[in-house]
Amino acid sequence: MTKETKNTVSAETIVENLKEFAMELHQQAKDGMIDSVFEKDEDAFVLAKIAHDISHGLIDILQGKSADEALENVFSDDEDDIPVVGSIAVNLKTGHVKGIEDIKNPKLKEQITKAISKIADKLGGK
């Protein structure tokens, strides 16, 4: 009879691995959404968006929210989370952005600025 050994992993290791996984999933999903816009691949965008939403759910759970709270945030119909359709103009030579001046949420404004910067870099801007 062989002796069975168990691989014991501490809770701290599991939590750290989950944090790393959630953050990497989040970053890759964001990159996938941006790339799919350039490639005009709607299916890839939808899949990347799903992965992005899942990453937010994992991050919420790691921050102490319940599974129900995390799912509510992923599938929320909150009017503040509804995308706003508008126009954004970017001067690729200067990096100046027009069209985000009226956005009141500083976190959203920062995310949009970062995404626009990344897009401008891919298009050969500054």
Side-chain angles (χ1 to χ4, degrees):
M1 192 164 124
T2 62
K3 184 177 178 182
E4 195 172 318
T5 60
K6 290 187 177 183
N7 183 10
T8 305
V9 181
S10 71
E12 292 83 13
T13 300
I14 293 169
V15 170
E16 284 305 312
N17 288 344
L18 280 171
K19 283 181 183 178
E20 186 177 327
F21 176 80
M23 295 312 291
E24 184 63 28
L25 178 63
H26 185 258
Q27 188 59 48
Q28 286 189 22
K30 282 186 355 184
D31 292 344
M33 290 188 319
I34 291 170
D35 291 344
S36 66
V37 168
F38 282 115
E39 296 167 7
K40 298 179 182 176
D41 186 341
E42 186 177 342
D43 291 337
F45 181 85
V46 169
L47 289 173
K49 175 74 169 96
I50 290 168
H52 182 256
D53 290 346
I54 290 169
S55 74
H56 275 274
L58 288 170
I59 292 167
D60 285 349
I61 288 170
L62 288 164
Q63 292 175 343
K65 292 184 181 177
S66 71
D68 287 338
E69 289 173 313
L71 285 171
E72 280 179 23
N73 289 339
V74 169
F75 296 110
S76 118
D77 286 334
D78 186 358
E79 287 189 18
D80 291 339
D81 291 338
I82 296 173
V84 177
V85 177
S87 296
I88 297 174
V90 181
N91 182 325
L92 293 177
K93 289 182 182 177
T94 66
H96 187 264
V97 179
K98 279 189 168 187
I100 62 171
E101 301 83 12
D102 294 334
I103 297 174
K104 296 185 183 2
N105 181 331
K107 185 176 180 183
L108 176 61
K109 200 172 204 175
E110 179 184 346
Q111 288 175 332
I112 291 171
T113 302
K114 285 181 182 177
I116 290 170
S117 176
K118 198 171 203 178
I119 291 169
D121 288 346
K122 284 192 175 199
L123 293 174
K126 63 178 202 161

